[in-house]
Amino acid sequence: MNIQTNFNKIVRLGLVVLTATSLSFATITPAKVAFAQPTQKSVSPDVINEGMNGTWNLQWKVNGWLHRGRLRMDGNFGTMIVNVTGPNGRRVYAEQQMNMVPDRNGYILQGSRPTYPGSDAINGNYQPDSFYIESDYHGSWKMRNCSDYHGCIPVRMTRIDR
């Protein structure tokens, strides 16, 4: 009987210790959660290149096709409407969303989802543009269109407004 009594005491003591431990964790855990600092960055990241903010006229030529674009940037995002005229007079119009990301020595301005201007209808006749942008020694911006289908081609940039 003495063994049974000792066993019951040990079980009761174990339950008391378990209960006390559980209660201490219950009181500690919410305090940690309440004061935890977020490790994730804000949904809107810092502006990568404020010098590109504003409206720009862009112009480049690919295989006889003249591209004229109107780029509007606000922070890391923007839109561009492109008017393309072929050597045979054929015209293609597209609007695309633009996203700026840093690169080793400059920035990549990546177009996506070309649509017919003013609509949500995808324009299958136009591939998204990819521009490489860097600052020259004089603080001016140099841009090249480096879209997959034609390599890198110089782009003439003219600021319209900020």
Side-chain angles (χ1 to χ4, degrees), residues 3 13 19 25 28 34 44-45 48 52 56 62 79 101-102 107-108 124 134 139 154 158:
I3 295 175
L13 180 62
T19 303
F25 283 137
I28 292 171
S44 56
I48 296 170
M52 286 294 299
W56 299 81
V62 180
T79 58
V101 294
Y107 308 94
I108 302 288
E134 60 187 346
T158 308

Side-chain angles (χ1 to χ4, degrees), residues 134-146:
E134 60 187 346
S135 179
D136 65 14
Y137 296 109
H138 306 291
S140 299
W141 298 108
K142 288 175 51 179
M143 179 184 278
R144 292 176 286 157
N145 186 311
C146 298

Side-chain angles (χ1 to χ4, degrees), residues 11-116:
V11 169
R12 280 190 214 136
L13 180 62
L15 289 174
V16 169
V17 169
L18 182 61
T19 303
T21 305
S22 297
L23 289 174
S24 69
F25 283 137
T27 57
I28 292 171
T29 303
K32 286 183 179 177
V33 172
F35 296 106
Q37 296 297 318
T39 57
Q40 196 171 10
K41 288 191 174 187
S42 170
V43 175
S44 56
D46 294 334
V47 176
I48 296 170
N49 180 352
E50 290 184 19
M52 286 294 299
N53 281 348
T55 305
W56 299 81
N57 279 335
L58 308 179
Q59 187 173 322
W60 68 100
K61 199 169 193 176
V62 180
N63 297 329
W65 290 75
L66 179 62
H67 295 67
R68 291 187 182 112
R70 170 80 45 110
L71 172 67
R72 287 192 176 103
M73 291 299 295
D74 184 11
N76 300 334
F77 305 98
T79 58
M80 183 171 69
I81 296 178
V82 182
N83 173 355
V84 184
T85 306
N88 60 359
R90 180 174 174 230
R91 291 183 180 256
V92 177
Y93 300 94
E95 180 175 355
Q96 54 191 319
Q97 303 304 309
M98 306 304 287
N99 181 30
M100 186 174 294
V101 294
D103 191 58
R104 281 184 294 204
N105 299 317
Y107 308 94
I108 302 288
L109 185 60
Q110 182 63 52
S112 65
R113 199 178 176 277
T115 60
Y116 292 97

Side-chain angles (χ1 to χ4, degrees), residues 50 147 149:
E50 290 184 19
S147 302
Y149 60 93

